[in-house]
Amino acid sequence: METHSVSKLLALYLVAALFVGSELIQCTTVSYDKKAILINGRRRLLISGSIHYPRSTPEMWEGLIQKAKDGGLDVIDTYVFWNGHEPSPGNYYFEGRYDLVRFIRTVQKAGLYLHLRIGPYVCAEWNFGGFPVWLKYVPGISFRTDNGPFKMAMQGFTQKIVQMMKNERLFASQGGPIILSQIENEYGPESKALGAAGHNYINWAAKMAVGMNTGVPWVMCKEDDAPDPMINACNGFYCDGFTPNKPYKPTLWTEAWSGWFSEFGGTVHHRPVQDLAFAVARFIQKGGSYVNYYMYHGGTNFGRTAGGPFITTSYDYDAPIDEYGKSLIREPKYTHLKELHRAIKLSEHALVSSDPTVTSLGSYQQAYVFNSGPRSCAAFLSNFHMKSAATVTFNNMHYDLPAWSISILPDCRNAVFNTAKVGVPTSRVQMTPTHNRLLYWETYDEDLSSLHDRSSISTIGLLEQINVTRDTSDYLWYMTNIEINSWESFLHGGKWPTLTLQSAGHAVHVFINGQFSGSAFGTREQREFTFTKPVNLHAGINRIALLSIAVGLPNVGLHFETWKTGIQGSVFLDGLSRGRKDLTMQKWLYKVGLNGETMNLVSPSGASSVDWIRASLATHNQQLKWYKAYFNAPLGNEPLALDMRSMGKGQVWINGQSIGRYWMAFANGDCSMCSYTGTYRETKCQLGCGQPTQRWYHVPRSWLKPTQNLLVVFEELGGDPSKITLVKRSLTR
């Protein structure tokens, strides 16, 4: 009897504990109807913002997410980056900036929801669109179509992420913050191009995702044919013209573009907040109930994660929170949007409970009225004229509407917000020297004299670059020899012969007998380019070495996995006595990467394993140079950056961690005017013409030690490292 009683008491205790636990966990039901996402049966109008965890450091996450919450956000949106999590088949990485669980828990701790966009194709101006490069070499594979090897790999990674989330109880159905998940990404253009294969693939992807039983709805963005129960969603600068593909689905805007990305050699893009707020209000007045700002914090493409190609290391995106973190909010964008969110939330009950009645107030003016009963009325008064303000009469009251604007009346009487009326001063970026001197510079040469002897591959003809490097390095050497007869006329006062080569991208530096002969570059819009220049040859054997450089792998386009990189056209010499000499199909030698990469000069241990030479003025402006210096961390907590204005093109590391690629490519564009009125496109409101696209490079404070921080720079073109400075970034009004 005694044993039985104890067992009964223990059972009662366990039941009570489970009850208490369930109360603490607070499992959430998430569903949808034609008006909105329903959370625990209640329609919600949700404001979201994209923050990509690898584009900031874990030490920044809490502050970023709190600042997003303070700005009126309900949801944090992030992609999942396959190539960061599975760098080689079956070997997974979820640490540091890729600690996905920690990031989601930080969102949960702040009391926000999360939209997990698994993809696993992400685009995102991210290297190879988020796909690991090894995936390209799976036998028989073809990306993002009805292809068995691709579907097997995609399902495997998706299952890995979903199971991890389940194990950590992170779906809302388990008490976690994840209320939505996305499969695939912006598949509409591919679907149309691929026809039946695309249709079959997207149906398979939807069925595969739903079959994982996450307990939360799935989303497909920019995919009009998204099959049930997928919610198809809109991406773009404006989405007020978007309608879901079924009348029982809510209207979601998964990417409201807050700005635009930058590419080396291009301008910086600015989207006026008046137009962004106008776009959001237009979407809400047409029945939209979920808006996600892409980006809310853009962050930094550390390492070699930038895609494109030619995407800058900065992914600031003109977002409400500056690239450098929580303490730097971009005004007036941050506060003006915060006030917009407040006005929308004041109107939430009416917006999700009724359909609008639309009334004309003039040629370009309208009223959208949501009335769901007594004391539940909201109105949006719009003026679509691009130049003229208007005074309109609504409910026997007069309202002044600036051009290209919407006023929000949460009670159908009092205008609490107008999208064009900004009451916050504009913040200005200041980069202030820290006066922390970079201790003396030392240099190490990338040895070219024995380059041919250290080649790892030889073959007849030209190989595609990524097939050789597998993206383990940006750099691939193409090397060959040519014999010049002593009687050639150019050796006796004639013109030098001209070397011509055709590249599929993205850049090349040409060396003849160890001497630099010139460079050529593609662009994001035109990756292919031709180098042609007279070269200095001597009698006898001449060594030609072409350093081909990838500047990020493509992230968007039909079957971009098949696009080529490297020296892929013809290589020939003109101006010889016997005419053109074609070098294309002769023997070529190949070497992957740089000597400094092989020796890991960027790490403290690797840097100490070689003899560096004290840098002098004579070593400045030379090609293929490694530089190192030490510095102490500056006092304070302001965000830090390196001013690389004195350098050319290359990469930079601090304490072994890659800050990213730098390039002082000057911005070419039209910076003549900017108005918030009229339809916004990325070519509008350009900044920085005639200046380097990116001059400053984010240095996370969490990467620094109090003293003796190792800074390593690899310079391709030539520069003056003595003028590199460490600066503090601040915003002032």
Side-chain angles (χ1 to χ4, degrees):
M1 286 291 293
E2 184 176 345
T3 303
H4 181 66
S5 299
V6 170
S7 298
K8 286 175 67 177
L9 286 169
L10 181 60
L12 287 169
Y13 173 80
L14 290 172
V15 169
L18 284 171
F19 176 78
V20 172
S22 68
E23 288 294 299
L24 291 173
I25 292 172
Q26 294 181 329
C27 295
T28 302
T29 60
V30 185
S31 58
Y32 63 82
D33 65 11
K34 67 176 184 177
K35 290 295 293 180
I37 299 295
L38 277 70
I39 298 178
N40 290 330
R42 177 190 164 202
R43 288 174 177 164
R44 293 292 306 275
L45 201 158
L46 297 169
I47 308 296
S48 173
S50 289
I51 299 175
H52 295 160
Y53 52 98
R55 284 176 158 144
S56 52
T57 64
E59 293 78 10
M60 296 169 64
W61 292 344
E62 184 174 355
L64 291 172
I65 292 163
Q66 184 59 50
K67 189 61 71 174
K69 182 178 182 179
D70 295 342
L73 268 57
D74 307 293
V75 184
I76 299 297
D77 169 293
T78 187
Y79 283 125
V80 178
F81 297 85
W82 188 356
N83 52 10
H85 291 303
E86 194 178 3
S88 60
N91 295 311
Y92 295 99
Y93 183 78
F94 290 93
E95 300 174 18
R97 300 197 328 274
Y98 292 93
D99 192 340
L100 176 59
V101 169
R102 177 178 172 182
F103 179 78
I104 297 174
R105 291 242 182 261
T106 306
V107 172
Q108 184 178 30
K109 180 182 176 183
L112 297 180
Y113 298 119
L114 187 120
H115 181 189
L116 189 68
R117 303 174 73 184
I118 298 174
Y121 166 68
V122 301
C123 185
E125 293 71 57
W126 189 265
N127 195 55
F128 218 42
F131 289 135
V133 171
W134 58 259
L135 190 67
K136 171 181 166 76
Y137 300 100
V138 172
I141 202 163
S142 183
F143 285 10
R144 304 181 73 203
T145 188
D146 191 13
N147 171 268
F150 178 78
K151 291 192 294 186
M152 181 180 295
M154 173 179 167
Q155 181 170 350
F157 181 72
T158 304
Q159 284 178 327
K160 173 76 176 178
I161 296 301
V162 167
Q163 193 57 51
M164 176 181 286
M165 299 301 102
K166 286 183 176 181
N167 292 345
E168 298 290 336
R169 304 189 65 81
L170 292 174
F171 287 109
S173 56
Q174 303 171 291
I178 302 172
I179 59 168
L180 294 170
S181 289
Q182 180 178 298
I183 197 70
E184 248 300 331
N185 187 50
E186 299 185 322
Y187 192 68
E190 276 69 18
S191 182
K192 289 180 176 65
L194 294 171
H199 182 73
N200 292 339
Y201 164 70
I202 209 66
N203 284 337
W204 166 85
K207 184 177 179 181
M208 179 267 290
V210 172
M212 294 189 179
N213 300 313
T214 62
V216 302
W218 286 87
V219 174
M220 283 183 171
C221 66
K222 285 183 73 172
E223 176 47 62
D224 293 340
D225 295 332
D228 284 357
M230 295 281 156
I231 308 171
N232 66 307
C234 183
N235 292 357
F237 289 118
Y238 306 92
C239 280
D240 50 301
F242 169 75
T243 302
N245 61 15
K246 294 291 173 60
Y248 44 80
K249 295 180 181 179
T251 304
L252 311 186
W253 190 358
T254 35
E255 291 188 14
W257 297 333
S258 60
W260 200 243
F261 57 84
S262 297
E263 59 191 88
F264 287 116
T267 53
V268 174
H269 303 277
H270 165 63
R271 186 177 189 186
V273 69
Q274 299 95 321
D275 177 71
L276 179 57
F278 183 54
V280 172
R282 284 164 58 173
F283 179 72
I284 298 297
Q285 76 175 6
K286 291 290 288 289
S289 59
Y290 178 99
V291 177
N292 176 67
Y293 295 103
Y294 187 99
M295 301 291 295
Y296 199 76
H297 165 73
T300 306
N301 292 317
F302 295 113
R304 297 168 53 246
T305 59
F310 298 101
I311 299 298
T312 57
T313 297
S314 170
Y315 198 67
D316 181 81
Y317 221 89
D318 198 37
I321 303 178
D322 181 89
E323 173 190 356
Y324 289 69
K326 66 168 185 175
S327 61
L328 302 180
I329 57 174
R330 177 168 282 109
E331 295 291 17
K333 187 165 279 188
Y334 177 88
T335 298
H336 194 57
L337 292 178
K338 179 179 180 178
E339 292 169 353
L340 167 67
H341 304 155
R342 176 179 172 273
I344 290 171
K345 289 295 185 176
L346 288 171
S347 312
E348 180 175 12
H349 183 266
L351 292 170
V352 300
S353 302
S354 59
D355 295 323
T357 300
V358 184
T359 304
S360 174
L361 302 177
S363 299
Y364 294 88
Q365 296 78 37
Q366 290 178 317
Y368 282 74
V369 181
F370 298 80
N371 197 330
S372 60
R375 298 183 180 179
S376 184
C377 180
F380 285 56
L381 309 183
S382 59
N383 178 14
F384 276 79
H385 201 287
M386 291 188 292
K387 295 182 179 179
S388 299
T391 299
V392 299
T393 302
F394 172 73
N395 281 351
N396 298 317
M397 297 181 66
H398 299 296
Y399 298 89
D400 295 325
L401 302 178
W404 201 252
S405 78
I406 290 176
S407 285
I408 300 176
L409 289 61
D411 59 359
C412 285
R413 291 188 61 82
N414 296 294
V416 301
F417 180 84
N418 179 272
T419 58
K421 295 178 180 179
V422 177
V424 183
T426 299
S427 55
R428 305 291 181 189
V429 173
Q430 283 194 333
M431 307 301 276
T432 309
T434 63
H435 304 296
N436 280 55
R437 192 168 59 90
L438 297 175
L439 305 180
Y440 63 88
W441 285 94
E442 294 179 305
T443 184
Y444 184 85
D445 285 350
E446 187 68 19
D447 181 21
L448 304 185
S449 61
S450 59
L451 196 56
H452 284 56
D453 302 328
R454 289 182 275 105
S455 62
S456 56
I457 302 171
S458 65
T459 188
I460 301 299
L462 299 166
L463 300 178
E464 195 277 335
Q465 180 166 339
I466 307 305
N467 288 342
V468 180
T469 66
R470 302 295 174 101
D471 199 37
T472 57
S473 171
D474 281 356
Y475 304 101
L476 177 65
W477 285 102
Y478 291 73
M479 298 168 285
T480 193
N481 295 335
I482 182 171
E483 185 171 4
I484 297 298
N485 294 313
S486 59
W487 42 260
E488 285 285 353
S489 61
F490 75 85
L491 295 174
H492 304 282
K495 291 182 178 179
W496 288 0
T498 298
L499 176 68
T500 299
L501 65 90
Q502 296 167 336
S503 173
H506 307 135
V508 69
H509 304 316
V510 177
F511 295 83
I512 306 295
N513 297 319
Q515 299 300 308
F516 178 66
S517 293
S519 302
F521 309 93
T523 65
R524 182 171 171 272
E525 291 72 25
Q526 185 61 47
R527 300 182 306 279
E528 300 84 2
F529 63 90
T530 299
F531 171 94
T532 182
K533 188 176 179 181
V535 290
N536 185 11
L537 303 175
H538 57 64
I541 300 297
N542 291 263
R543 292 187 166 186
I544 298 175
L546 312 175
L547 182 59
S548 181
I549 305 150
V551 192
L553 301 188
N555 57 267
V556 65
L558 185 64
H559 288 304
F560 62 77
E561 78 274 15
T562 64
W563 297 1
K564 297 183 183 299
T565 303
I567 314 300
Q568 287 292 280
S570 299
V571 180
F572 52 86
L573 274 170
D574 283 324
L576 301 178
S577 297
R578 294 180 178 176
R580 175 173 292 180
K581 172 69 174 176
D582 194 334
L583 309 178
T584 309
M585 293 306 297
Q586 67 181 42
K587 181 180 179 181
W588 287 84
L589 308 176
Y590 298 86
K591 181 180 180 300
V592 176
L594 307 165
N595 293 337
E597 290 178 307
T598 302
M599 294 184 290
N600 198 23
L601 293 184
V602 304
S603 71
S605 58
S608 61
S609 66
V610 301
D611 293 327
W612 296 73
I613 299 172
R614 185 73 174 261
S616 66
L617 290 176
T619 63
H620 296 168
N621 297 310
Q622 293 185 6
Q623 298 77 33
L624 307 192
K625 287 279 189 180
W626 293 88
Y627 297 99
K628 78 174 177 76
Y630 291 91
F631 67 95
N632 298 332
L635 299 176
N637 58 5
E638 303 95 331
L640 301 174
L642 285 173
D643 184 347
M644 302 295 291
R645 181 67 177 81
S646 65
M647 303 303 286
K649 178 182 181 298
Q651 298 182 40
V652 58
W653 298 259
I654 287 182
N655 294 329
Q657 300 207 63
S658 177
I659 296 296
R661 303 182 183 100
Y662 69 86
W663 192 357
M664 295 304 111
F666 285 76
N668 183 27
D670 180 4
C671 299
S672 59
M673 62 175 291
C674 178
S675 170
Y676 81 85
T677 61
T679 301
Y680 180 82
R681 291 293 180 261
E682 65 272 19
T683 53
K684 189 178 179 181
C685 295
Q686 301 177 53
L687 304 174
C689 292
Q691 300 296 318
T693 304
Q694 185 176 353
R695 172 178 173 177
W696 294 287
Y697 294 79
H698 181 202
V699 177
R701 277 196 177 262
S702 59
W703 290 8
L704 301 183
K705 306 178 295 182
T707 61
Q708 285 293 103
N709 293 284
L710 172 64
L711 170 61
V712 175
V713 176
F714 175 67
E715 172 59 46
E716 299 173 21
L717 296 171
D720 183 355
S722 68
K723 294 180 180 176
I724 295 174
T725 56
L726 188 67
V727 298
K728 294 181 179 181
R729 185 176 179 93
S730 60
L731 294 179
T732 60
R733 297 184 186 180

